[in-house]
């Protein structure tokens, strides 16, 4: 293989460059160079070996590998140096490259970044364009690489300077609700993309392969057919959980993986509920207030409700006032409310009870705001906490009083990232001819064998030059093959720490 058939281009962490590094056997070794890509172009964990003193590639440099395809240099991989880069190394060190999409998790969006409810791809375009000035040119943007995804994205009222990666994961999460498998990342051409996952198939024959397929031994050391989600901790210390079960549990049994839910992922949805306005003298034995004041449930349950736009204002100069919420499927309640002078109290009581005796007081003061997990099956009330004949103002103002429940459909979809069963005939199929990243497919077939591609891998070897292999049913860590995954991989120790440390 000619030394000029592949080369590197490098940019500094602040975007200076590119510096062209020609393939030179004196300090870059060809053997063992592996560059995996997801079918859509997102980089997996790339590896190569080089002499640091010769290549002079500092940590966090951005590196693009190019292959001379005829007379054209074709980008085949783009990643950032996460391991390696010792300028004094004379013998050769292992370089590890990871996707530039991770860079999106370390910059922030502009203050008060907002978007309306709109097609999801328009929100994606807006947030990437907002983030571009912080990326030093390391990630490029092309509107055509963010096409229509086929569903609407919720409004972003205020991103609160979150990182773009968190919002992209939120959008991909929303896509799962509509059955749309969203993939985003940074392609070999350095351009950000956000697309529907590829599902096309490349049909292979013996004539297309440089060697017979290598069918690997399925791995069953860490099976997972169920995920036990630890969602939130109740005031009494118990956990609110949900168990997602794979269809494979029917044949393989239940192998449970406990996971403490990533707090950046919103898994809550509105739960139906009924509201009742109650009043009482002293001692407080409550009864429905007549005539019943209007309760604007739409405002009470609006996630964007503002404190200057109350949904309920109750006035009674002589009595306690209480707004009661009953919702059989409620698992948490979001509250914002206040009382003019006497304070407010948020509590729980048995549904249908007429007194507050036994209610579980959570907060007291002129303003109450927060998210609370009531005991199962109990109603929630918001009321004036104090009463005084010398202070007749019994106004109770409520902005939010929203019952919510776990979106189990979403959690079940996210659990699919964690299910691990012995692969169905995992294979390594090495092709004879070069295929550019744009031509990579979501599946491959070989006779009666058809499987999704976990990763396409470019390999450069001293003996055979450039190779391209389709990896199906591989046992590698999915976080190394698909860094755009919504759920971040955690080892067992980290999971246990998260469960015991969270309050």
């Amino acid at each position: 293989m000619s030394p000029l058939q592949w080369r590197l281009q490098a940019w500094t962490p602040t975007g200076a460059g590119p510096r062209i590094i020609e393939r030179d056997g004196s300090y870059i070794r060809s053997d063992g160079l592996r560059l995996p890509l997801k079918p859509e172009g997102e980089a997996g964990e790339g590896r190569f070996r080089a002499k640091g003193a010769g290549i002079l590639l500092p940590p966090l440099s951005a590196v693009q590998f190019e292959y001379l395809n005829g007379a054209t240099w074709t980008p085949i991989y783009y990643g950032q140096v996460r391991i390696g880069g010792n300028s004094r190394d004379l013998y050769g060190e292992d370089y590890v490259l990871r996707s530039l999409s991770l860079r999106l998790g370390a910059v922030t969006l502009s203050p008060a970044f907002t978007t309306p409810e709109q097609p999801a791809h328009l929100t994606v375009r807006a947030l990437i364009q907002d983030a571009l000035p912080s990326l030093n040119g390391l990630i490029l943007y092309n509107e055509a690489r963010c096409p229509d995804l086929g569903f609407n994205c919720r409004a972003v009222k205020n991103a609160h300077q979150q990182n773009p990666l968190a919002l992209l994961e939120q959008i991909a999460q929303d896509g799962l609700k509509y059955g749309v498998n969203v993939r985003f990342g940074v392609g070999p051409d350095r351009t950000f993309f956000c697309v529907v996952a590829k599902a096309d198939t490349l049909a292979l024959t013996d004539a297309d392969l440089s060697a017979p397929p290598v069918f690997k031994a399925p791995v069953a050391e860490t099976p997972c057919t169920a995920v036990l989600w630890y969602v939130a901790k109740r005031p009494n210390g118990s956990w609110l959980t949900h168990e997602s079960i794979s269809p494979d549990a029917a044949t393989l049994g239940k192998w449970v993986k406990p996971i403490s839910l990533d707090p950046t992922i919103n898994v809550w949805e509105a739960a139906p509920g009924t509201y009742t306005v109650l009043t009482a003298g002293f001692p407080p034995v409550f009864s429905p207030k007549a005539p019943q004041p209007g309760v604007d449930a739409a405002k009470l349950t609006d996630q964007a409700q503002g404190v200057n736009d109350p949904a309920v204002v109750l006035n009674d100069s002589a009595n306690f006032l209480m707004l009661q919420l009953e919702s059989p499927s409620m698992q948490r309640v979001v509250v914002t409310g206040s009382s003019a002078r006497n304070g407010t109290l948020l509590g729980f009581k048995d549904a249908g009870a007429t007194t507050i005796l036994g209610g579980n007081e959570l907060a007291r003061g002129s303003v109450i705001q927060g998210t609370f997990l009531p005991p199962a099956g109990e109603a929630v009330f918001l009321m004036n906490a104090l009463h005084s004949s010398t202070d007749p103002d019994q106004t109770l103002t409520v902005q939010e009083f929203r019952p919510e429940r776990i979106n189990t459909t979403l959690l079940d979809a996210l659990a699919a990232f964690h299910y691990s069963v012995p692969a169905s005939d995992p294979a390594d199929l090495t092709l004879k001819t070069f295929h550019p990243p744009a031509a990579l497919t979501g599946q491959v077939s070989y006779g009666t064998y058809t499987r999704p591609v976990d990763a396409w891998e470019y390999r450069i070897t001293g003996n055979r030059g450039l190779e391209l292999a389709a990896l199906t049913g591989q046992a590698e860590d999915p976080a190394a093959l698909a860094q755009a995954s919504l759920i971040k991989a955690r080892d067992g120790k980290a999971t246990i720490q998260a469960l015991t440390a969270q309050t």
Side-chain angles (χ1 to χ4, degrees):
M1 181 178 180
S2 167
L4 296 181
Q5 282 190 285
W6 64 272
R7 69 181 185 185
L8 283 65
Q9 292 199 88
W11 290 260
T12 70
T14 56
R19 173 171 65 98
I20 296 178
I21 305 173
E22 302 289 0
R23 186 295 201 213
D24 185 338
S26 66
Y27 54 79
I28 300 178
R29 289 183 56 183
S30 292
D31 289 337
L33 192 150
R34 303 172 72 102
L35 307 172
L37 293 179
K38 292 296 288 181
E40 297 76 25
E42 169 75 339
E45 190 169 89
R47 295 176 179 272
F48 69 100
R49 187 169 180 80
K51 296 179 183 179
I55 197 171
L56 295 176
L57 197 62
L60 298 182
S61 296
V63 180
Q64 182 185 58
F65 284 81
E66 295 182 300
Y67 175 69
L68 188 58
N69 182 27
T72 304
W73 286 105
T74 301
I76 60 173
Y77 185 91
Y78 182 55
Q80 191 170 48
V81 177
R82 293 305 179 101
I83 299 177
N86 190 327
S87 62
R88 295 181 178 272
D89 169 70
L90 299 174
Y91 302 102
E93 59 182 336
D94 292 322
Y95 284 75
V96 175
L97 307 172
R98 293 173 188 159
S99 172
L100 263 292
S101 65
L102 298 176
R103 187 74 179 89
L104 295 170
V107 298
T108 59
L109 293 167
S110 301
F113 173 84
T114 61
T115 56
E117 181 178 345
Q118 61 184 351
H121 71 289
L122 298 181
T123 299
V124 171
R125 291 176 181 180
L127 69 87
I128 288 299
Q129 288 177 302
D130 186 83
L132 284 176
S134 302
L135 299 173
N136 302 314
L138 294 177
I139 298 177
L140 306 180
Y141 170 74
N142 182 337
E143 184 177 285
R145 301 293 296 279
C146 300
D148 193 341
L149 298 171
F151 65 94
N152 277 8
C153 176
R154 69 185 74 176
V156 179
K157 299 293 185 180
N158 186 332
H160 300 292
Q161 293 184 272
Q162 288 189 75
N163 64 73
L165 187 60
L167 285 185
L168 286 167
E169 290 181 343
Q170 180 73 62
I171 291 170
Q173 168 190 325
D174 286 347
L176 289 176
K177 299 177 185 177
Y178 301 101
V180 180
N181 195 355
V182 176
R183 290 283 185 264
F184 65 85
V186 181
D189 61 354
R190 306 174 57 224
T191 303
F192 174 83
F193 66 86
C194 185
V195 298
V196 177
K198 286 186 176 182
D200 51 344
T201 302
L202 175 63
L204 300 174
T205 66
D206 289 333
D208 298 311
L209 304 179
S210 62
V214 177
F215 289 101
K216 299 185 175 183
V219 176
E221 290 188 3
T222 57
C224 172
T225 58
V227 173
L228 182 61
W229 298 101
Y230 285 80
V231 181
K233 184 180 283 188
R234 298 187 181 93
N236 64 5
S238 65
W239 279 90
L240 182 61
T241 62
H242 171 69
E243 187 175 62
S244 301
I245 301 178
S246 165
D248 292 307
T251 54
L252 299 177
K254 189 159 54 171
W255 299 77
V256 181
K257 177 179 180 180
I259 296 177
S260 181
L261 189 67
D262 189 326
T264 65
I265 298 177
N266 179 19
V267 296
W268 299 95
E269 63 180 2
T274 58
Y275 296 91
T276 307
V277 178
L278 303 174
T279 185
F282 188 83
V285 177
F286 287 93
S287 61
K289 182 176 175 63
Q292 282 273 357
V295 175
D296 192 337
K299 280 188 176 181
L300 283 174
T301 57
D302 182 2
Q303 294 188 12
Q305 178 64 27
V307 295
N308 297 321
D309 188 15
V312 180
V313 179
L314 304 177
N315 291 282
D316 192 319
S317 61
N319 295 300
F320 285 94
L321 294 167
M322 181 167 85
L323 179 62
Q324 177 175 286
L325 165 64
E326 294 181 79
S327 175
S329 61
M330 170 178 57
Q331 293 172 300
R332 80 172 188 179
V333 61
V334 180
V335 181
T336 304
S338 64
S339 182
R341 294 176 183 161
N342 291 334
T344 55
L345 180 147
L346 175 72
F348 310 129
K349 68 183 185 64
D350 292 337
T354 59
T355 72
I356 63 170
L357 300 178
N360 183 14
E361 180 181 336
L362 289 185
R364 185 184 292 271
S366 60
V367 176
I368 182 169
Q369 184 172 20
T371 302
F372 305 94
L373 278 70
E378 294 197 6
V380 183
F381 61 83
L382 183 65
M383 62 166 287
N384 295 102
L386 304 174
H387 177 75
S388 170
S389 60
T390 61
D391 186 0
D393 191 344
Q394 297 297 319
T395 302
L396 181 63
T397 302
V398 186
Q399 281 82 27
E400 292 178 296
F401 204 36
R402 184 172 66 252
E404 294 183 333
R405 63 189 177 192
I406 297 172
N407 186 336
T408 57
T409 300
L410 173 61
L411 281 184
D412 291 345
L414 295 180
F417 289 98
H418 293 275
Y419 295 147
S420 177
V421 299
S424 176
D425 307 323
D428 184 327
L429 300 100
T430 305
L431 281 64
K432 285 182 179 178
T433 57
F434 174 75
H435 291 246
L440 302 181
T441 60
Q443 297 187 109
V444 292
S445 66
Y446 174 75
T448 60
Y449 179 87
T450 301
R451 296 291 186 278
V453 177
D454 292 311
W456 290 93
E457 189 171 73
Y458 292 102
R459 303 166 182 166
I460 302 177
T461 69
N463 295 331
R464 298 185 298 274
L466 180 71
E467 291 183 340
L468 174 63
L471 307 180
T472 66
Q474 300 301 296
E476 286 88 351
D477 179 0
L481 294 177
Q483 294 185 9
S485 171
L486 289 175
I487 304 297
K488 301 172 180 66
R490 294 179 176 88
D491 60 25
K493 180 179 179 182
T495 301
I496 293 172
Q497 288 176 340
L499 295 179
T500 57
Q502 187 171 345
T503 58

